[in-house]
């Protein structure tokens, strides 16, 4: 954190190509240490790409400082976390049953996973959708989510999100057949109930595949020991694979010999974000907003005022329950 704070004051970064998924992470799926197999979910193409061209956007984190100067220093700040990520990956990929994981490494893992979940184009798109929805509710014009606001939210939420991850059980899942895949949204929440969107508070697992044969799972149930080690069967592996195919933004990364991927097909876009609103107290003009993406119930369940600028006074009056007089008086 000291190193990140130090770099925040510098303006020495020259990088314009910003990787939102570290190359040190993607290299686990590389067949020659330089390229990985990428399935494009938009057009169905399936081909090898160089690591420098995977999960990268130009000036993705460029911001403006207080003097009005635009710079890319955020990329250098995130590079500090990428270095920590590379160290953790070496530790976790070499971990064997019986090995220890100390407290500092576990807390670093929570920070790295929290940041990785929020630093992607999908996370930014979802933030934009939630912002647009809030403005529409209040009958206000939509506002573009500029880089400065997005980056500010990324760093502000880093420790809060990590706190929610660090109270979970660390589990290491192995697949001896090497069938784990990943995507340009590599940290996912398990979808346990199709009627309710998952949250970091109540989802069963938070998944992060760190290679074709190993996945980090932060579970909801404590087992009474630091690390739970599991070897998965086909059914459990297929559940994880289906989630990464469904939740990918535009890229799925897999081993060259994986023959089960839907190559050659444009994948139908499925809902990834749920936002809805229902009245809590009509008299106080309050409603509850549920955001089905993000960290914790704070993003899923909010009380706001007014109910909605688009709802008329008469409609609000109609929502107020009328007293009912029964044989025992007012109920």
């Amino acid at each position: 954190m000291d190193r990140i704070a130090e770099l925040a004051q510098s303006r020495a970064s020259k990088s314009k190509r910003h990787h939102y998924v570290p190359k040190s992470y993607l290299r686990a799926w590389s067949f020659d240490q330089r390229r990985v197999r990428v399935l494009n979910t938009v057009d169905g193409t399936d081909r090898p790409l160089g690591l420098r061209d995977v999960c990268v956007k130009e000036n993705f984190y460029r911001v403006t400082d207080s003097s009005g100067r635009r710079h890319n220093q955020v990329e250098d700040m995130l590079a500090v976390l990428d270095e920590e990520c590379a160290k953790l990956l070496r530790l976790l990929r070499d971990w064997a049953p019986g090995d220890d994981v100390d407290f500092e490494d576990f807390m670093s893992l929570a920070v790295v996973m929290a940041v990785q979940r929020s630093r992607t184009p999908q996370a930014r798109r979802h933030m934009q959708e939630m912002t647009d929805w809030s403005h529409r509710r209040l009958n206000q014009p939509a506002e573009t989510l500029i880089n400065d606001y997005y980056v500010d939210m990324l760093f502000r939420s880093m420790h809060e999100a990590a706190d929610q991850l660090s109270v979970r059980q660390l589990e290491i899942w192995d697949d001896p057949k090497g069938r784990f895949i990943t995507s340009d949204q590599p940290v996912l929440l398990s979808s346990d109930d199709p009627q309710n969107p998952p949250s970091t508070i109540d989802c069963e697992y938070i998944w992060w595949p760190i290679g074709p044969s190993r996945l980090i799972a932060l579970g909801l149930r404590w087992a009474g020991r630091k690390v739970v080690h599991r070897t998965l069967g086909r059914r459990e592996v297929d559940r994880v694979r289906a989630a990464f195919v469904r939740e990918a933004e535009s890229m799925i990364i897999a081993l060259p010999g994986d023959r089960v991927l839907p190559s050659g097909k444009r994948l139908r876009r499925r809902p990834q974000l749920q936002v809805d609103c229902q009245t809590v107290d009509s008299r106080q003009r309050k409603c509850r907003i549920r955001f089905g993406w993000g960290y914790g119930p704070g993003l899923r369940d909010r009380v706001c005022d007014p109910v909605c600028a688009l709802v008329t006074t008469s409609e609000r009056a109609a929502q107020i329950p009328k007293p009912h007089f029964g044989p025992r008086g007012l109920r």
Side-chain angles (χ1 to χ4, degrees), residues 249-288:
E249 181 73 3
S250 61
M251 300 180 189
I252 297 171
I253 293 94
L255 289 177
D258 194 323
R259 303 183 183 279
V260 188
L261 291 182
S263 301
K265 303 176 182 178
R266 290 187 59 184
L267 298 187
R268 180 172 59 86
R269 176 67 77 183
R270 301 179 183 181
Q272 297 173 329
L273 171 68
Q274 178 176 332
V275 186
D276 55 35
C277 174
Q278 64 180 140
T279 301
V280 174
D281 189 332
S282 299
R283 292 180 176 86
Q284 296 185 19
R285 300 175 63 187
K286 290 185 177 180
C287 66
R288 180 156 290 158

Side-chain angles (χ1 to χ4, degrees), residues 86-145:
K87 186 191 83 170
L88 286 167
L89 288 172
R90 288 192 295 270
L91 171 72
L92 294 169
R93 286 168 179 165
D94 293 339
W95 185 91
D99 291 349
D100 192 18
V101 174
D102 64 34
F103 177 75
E104 287 189 2
D105 286 332
F106 180 66
M107 292 303 297
S108 291
L109 174 65
V111 171
V112 166
M113 289 180 65
V115 172
Q116 182 55 74
R117 176 164 162 77
S118 299
R119 65 184 285 189
T120 65
Q122 183 180 108
R124 178 167 177 164
R125 180 170 60 83
H126 287 175
M127 288 182 192
Q128 180 70 66
E129 291 292 338
M130 289 187 284
T131 300
D132 290 348
W133 185 86
S134 297
H135 280 79
R136 287 197 301 270
R137 275 187 80 253
L138 300 174
N139 202 22
Q140 296 175 349
E143 293 183 2
T144 302
L145 185 66

Side-chain angles (χ1 to χ4, degrees), residues 67-250:
S67 65
R69 180 182 178 184
R70 294 176 64 78
H71 64 87
N72 284 319
Q73 201 59 38
V74 175
E75 174 69 0
D76 283 4
M77 295 164 65
L78 290 172
V80 176
L81 292 171
D82 290 347
E83 291 174 6
E84 185 69 16
C85 176
K87 186 191 83 170
L88 286 167
L89 288 172
R90 288 192 295 270
L91 171 72
L92 294 169
R93 286 168 179 165
D94 293 339
W95 185 91
D99 291 349
D100 192 18
V101 174
D102 64 34
F103 177 75
E104 287 189 2
D105 286 332
F106 180 66
M107 292 303 297
S108 291
L109 174 65
V111 171
V112 166
M113 289 180 65
V115 172
Q116 182 55 74
R117 176 164 162 77
S118 299
R119 65 184 285 189
T120 65
Q122 183 180 108
R124 178 167 177 164
R125 180 170 60 83
H126 287 175
M127 288 182 192
Q128 180 70 66
E129 291 292 338
M130 289 187 284
T131 300
D132 290 348
W133 185 86
S134 297
H135 280 79
R136 287 197 301 270
R137 275 187 80 253
L138 300 174
N139 202 22
Q140 296 175 349
E143 293 183 2
T144 302
L145 185 66
I146 61 175
N147 280 15
D148 300 68
Y149 178 76
Y150 166 63
V151 170
D152 181 62
M153 289 290 293
L154 172 63
F155 281 100
R156 284 180 181 274
S157 65
M158 179 170 63
H159 289 293
E160 178 185 353
D163 284 346
Q164 294 173 20
L165 271 60
S166 63
V167 297
R168 286 174 164 263
Q169 172 70 55
L170 173 60
E171 299 188 18
I172 296 180
W173 296 1
D174 285 344
D175 175 26
K177 296 187 177 180
R179 293 168 293 185
F180 288 131
I181 59 177
T182 190
S183 74
D184 48 2
Q185 184 61 44
V187 176
L188 294 185
L189 311 183
S190 62
S191 298
D192 310 308
D193 181 355
Q195 302 302 318
N196 292 296
S199 81
T200 51
I201 296 297
D202 56 26
C203 70
E204 184 180 9
Y205 289 107
I206 301 171
W207 290 323
W208 187 39
I210 60 173
S213 300
R214 177 156 287 183
L215 177 144
I216 301 302
L218 298 181
L220 199 58
R221 301 180 184 86
W222 282 96
R225 55 186 186 275
K226 284 187 180 180
V227 184
V228 172
H229 179 247
R230 296 176 56 195
T231 300
L232 301 192
R234 168 122 195 186
R235 184 174 181 179
E236 293 170 299
V237 172
D238 285 347
R239 178 191 175 199
V240 174
R241 285 174 59 97
F244 276 86
V245 171
R246 180 175 63 249
E247 300 293 334
E249 181 73 3
S250 61

